[in-house]
Amino acid sequence: MCGIVGYAGIRDVVPILLEGLQRLEYRGYDSAGIAVQDHGAIHVVRSAGKIERLQDKLAGVRLPGQIGIGHTRWATHGKPTELNAHPHSDCGGNFVVIHNGIIENYSLIKRGLQERGHRFKSETDTEVIAHLLEENWDGDLVSTVRSAVSLLAGTFGLAILSAFAPETIALARRGSPLLLGIGKNEMFAASDVSAIRRHTNQVIYLEDEDLAIITPSSYEISSLQGTPVRRDQQTVEWEIASAEKQGFSHFMLKEIFEQPEAVINAMRGRVLDQDGTARLGGLDTVRDQLRATDHLIIVSCGTSYYAGLIGRYIIESHTDIAVEVELASEFRYRNLNLKQGTVVLAISQSGETADTLAAVREAKRKGVAVLGLVNAVGSTIARETVAGIYNHAGPEIGVASTKAFVSQLTILYLLALLLGRERNLSISEGKQFIAALQSIPGKISQILAESDAIRDIAERYAVFENFMFIGRKYNFPIALEGALKLKEISYLHSEGYAAGEMKHGPIALIHPQFPTVCIAPQGESYDKIISNLQEIKARSGPVLAIATHGDQEIARLADDVIYIPDIEERYSPFLTVIPLQLLAYHIANFNGREIDEPRNLAKSVTVE
Ligand code: G6P
């Protein structure tokens, strides 16, 4: 969703802001803008639409200055127009604000400000902050920011310029991520490290209720309530190249091809071959709780939720733990029995998803141990959970999650192995489990080598407007994920169903223009899914099957088949998901969609 970048230093600020904003594009946005501080005069340039339009507006404009802030906006209050784009200013033009988050009491504040003579130029919630700064100005930027934000309800990550403090950017955080980047004679601010990674790998993650002031040569952090705070400086471990396309036409395609590596990285240092078990160092502090628990609740959203559903099958089949998987957005509405010993696991690629974070906080409030499975190091969920595991998948830029998903699966499988070995799983079963996991990267590579053949199949299917995806057991969540991938990036109607549910309604949809993708690898559920496939064929529905190499029978029944290498059914989701990602990618490409930044979607959904 919205993105923030800021710079205070010795270089020309406009190119640094524009490059930073481009690096934030992947998060989803619909307008953009920058503000540049030039000896007490602040110049603002904004535009609706993509950053290229902002660049066009800036072409030929001289905007000198070494201090500035930039923003990509994902509209919440007010349409994605230029007037609603950030930065927003007060009446006098002395305070300029960019904001991520939502100010819940803005309409009340706005009414009061209007009554006191303030003139509003936008429909946004953000603009009230600029006017509040104007109204509360007391000659000191820090105390003015404190007074102004004390009136706000809701969430914010703020970056503020003031004509009265020309060397300075003020930053404040409550519920929306913000970090500082430390350079030599220059300081950066951003909502996401990718915006500034090119310039520095030294960062400080701000926490909720932090207020920071940066100048080219210094930073100072205190709380919004006025007490000084210390935050540790951290080193970002990934290189900027991993946030670039490296010859691929889209980030999504690059990330699909990075999946063998994502599995390897998730396993690195975490497998104890001799003992047939896993070692997840981040969980050492909660080992006793994990050994004792018989109840695990997984909370997550989107693709991370589907990873959690597969986690349920694998953990339940290797332990005596009852696993519930709950959509984070629904968690608060459940009156779940969080008895002593229950463990909650939040799964989030970004570590910033507002619903997942709210579920984490709610579970903590109820007094149970809350763990995190997170890709983005230093993110809010990583910091607010008592223990956790990082994916080490590197930055995922494409909005449609791919490599983070297989990485999440890898870690959930390692967790199942660890929990199983601490219960009844034997050492030899543990060793077999490890051997199977270690075979996965090579098998994913074999499927990726078929990308062109999958593209040819996708071309034939790109003409359809409705799709059904069905699977059973481990591949039921893969059906959901396949349908999600397709709808996210191609905007085609697609539904994922447990194959057994077809006869309870969805089969009514089947006709010659409504294809079904049938996930049917060899295993326990094979015969039943073949029956489902035949029911669809009997109603003239086209069928594209995902099946195991050597399956001749399915080739006779289905219209098309994409084969995966032979693997035991419980590990098959690692493989069956790959052709579905490629299918979605190629169908979206044939339809000319904006694959990495699909309409209306955001990479990290920071509003509830
Ligand atoms: C957004 C993204 C999805 C992602 C979901 C959960 O909707 O577009 O790709 O699966 O959020 O994100 P998280 O970062 O919590 O895994």
Side-chain angles (χ1 to χ4, degrees), residues 95-415:
F95 296 93
V96 170
V97 176
I98 59 181
H99 165 222
N100 288 357
I102 291 180
I103 305 303
E104 286 160 7
N105 58 344
Y106 88 101
S107 52
L108 196 69
I109 297 176
K110 185 170 177 176
R111 220 172 305 132
L113 286 162
Q114 282 170 325
E115 277 162 20
R116 296 192 293 279
H118 290 264
R119 295 174 316 279
F120 278 76
K121 299 169 287 286
S122 78
E123 304 159 277
T124 64
D125 52 339
T126 302
E127 193 181 340
V128 298
I129 304 168
H131 295 278
L132 284 178
L133 289 165
E134 179 174 46
E135 197 163 84
N136 284 275
W137 175 241
D138 62 7
D140 176 67
L141 185 58
V142 171
S143 68
T144 302
V145 172
R146 281 200 187 108
S147 315
V149 302
S150 72
L151 304 169
L152 304 175
T155 55
F156 50 80
L158 292 173
I160 299 163
L161 293 181
S162 169
F164 304 132
E167 286 283 284
T168 306
I169 303 174
L171 304 152
R173 164 179 178 155
R174 180 181 293 157
S176 287
L178 264 187
L179 55 95
L180 311 185
I182 298 160
K184 207 162 168 232
N185 298 322
E186 53 188 7
M187 292 287 300
F188 302 84
S191 53
D192 173 336
V193 72
S194 37
I196 60 166
R197 175 62 191 89
R198 190 171 151 212
H199 306 287
T200 181
N201 66 354
Q202 293 302 303
V203 297
I204 294 174
Y205 295 98
L206 296 183
E207 301 202 358
D208 277 351
E209 304 300 311
D210 282 356
L211 189 165
I213 291 289
I214 61 172
T215 72
S217 56
S218 67
Y219 67 87
E220 206 175 300
I221 310 172
S222 56
S223 76
L224 284 172
Q225 290 69 37
T227 45
V229 290
R230 238 195 78 77
R231 302 282 172 236
D232 292 337
Q233 193 166 319
Q234 300 187 28
T235 303
V236 180
E237 277 164 12
W238 52 267
E239 297 299 324
I240 192 67
S242 57
E244 286 168 355
K245 284 190 201 147
Q246 297 172 335
F248 284 91
S249 45
H250 295 92
F251 279 109
M252 182 182 176
L253 192 60
K254 174 187 164 228
E255 286 156 5
I256 289 172
F257 275 81
E258 282 173 345
Q259 290 181 112
E261 201 60 29
V263 175
I264 292 167
N265 288 341
M267 287 177 70
R268 182 166 290 125
R270 289 170 167 166
V271 166
L272 300 177
D273 291 283
Q274 292 301 315
D275 300 329
T277 189
R279 183 173 179 277
L280 298 169
L283 300 184
D284 281 351
T285 54
V286 289
R287 198 112 186 235
D288 290 343
Q289 272 153 294
L290 286 174
R291 207 173 276 139
T293 193
D294 61 1
H295 187 206
L296 176 70
I297 303 175
I298 298 177
V299 289
S300 42
C301 302
T303 291
S304 298
Y305 172 68
Y306 299 147
L309 288 178
I310 297 171
R312 173 169 68 190
Y313 288 102
I314 198 74
I315 294 170
E316 284 188 342
S317 62
H318 292 81
T319 70
D320 56 354
I321 301 173
V323 184
E324 291 181 73
V325 191
E326 188 53 89
L327 286 166
S329 56
E330 289 294 313
F331 182 72
R332 73 188 63 182
Y333 308 120
R334 300 279 313 277
N335 187 15
L336 284 167
N337 178 16
L338 301 189
K339 56 187 183 206
Q340 189 77 24
T342 294
V343 173
V344 170
L345 172 68
I347 306 179
S348 176
Q349 186 286 129
S350 63
E352 302 293 351
T353 302
D355 285 320
T356 310
L357 182 58
V360 165
R361 290 179 176 162
E362 175 67 2
K364 279 169 75 178
R365 202 184 56 74
K366 291 189 169 168
V368 296
V370 185
L371 316 179
L373 168 47
V374 170
N375 190 34
V377 176
S379 57
T380 311
I381 293 171
R383 283 183 289 112
E384 293 204 10
T385 42
V386 64
I389 317 141
Y390 278 124
N391 289 96
H392 299 308
E396 188 179 67
I397 309 287
V399 163
S401 184
T402 52
K403 68 173 177 175
F405 177 75
V406 300
S407 173
Q408 289 163 345
L409 286 190
T410 310
I411 289 168
L412 287 164
Y413 275 60
L414 290 176
L415 182 62

Side-chain angles (χ1 to χ4, degrees), residues 561-575:
V561 186
I562 300 173
Y563 285 108
I564 59 162
D566 190 16
I567 196 160
E568 223 187 293
E569 188 179 19
R570 61 183 148 155
Y571 308 105
S572 62
F574 286 94
L575 306 188

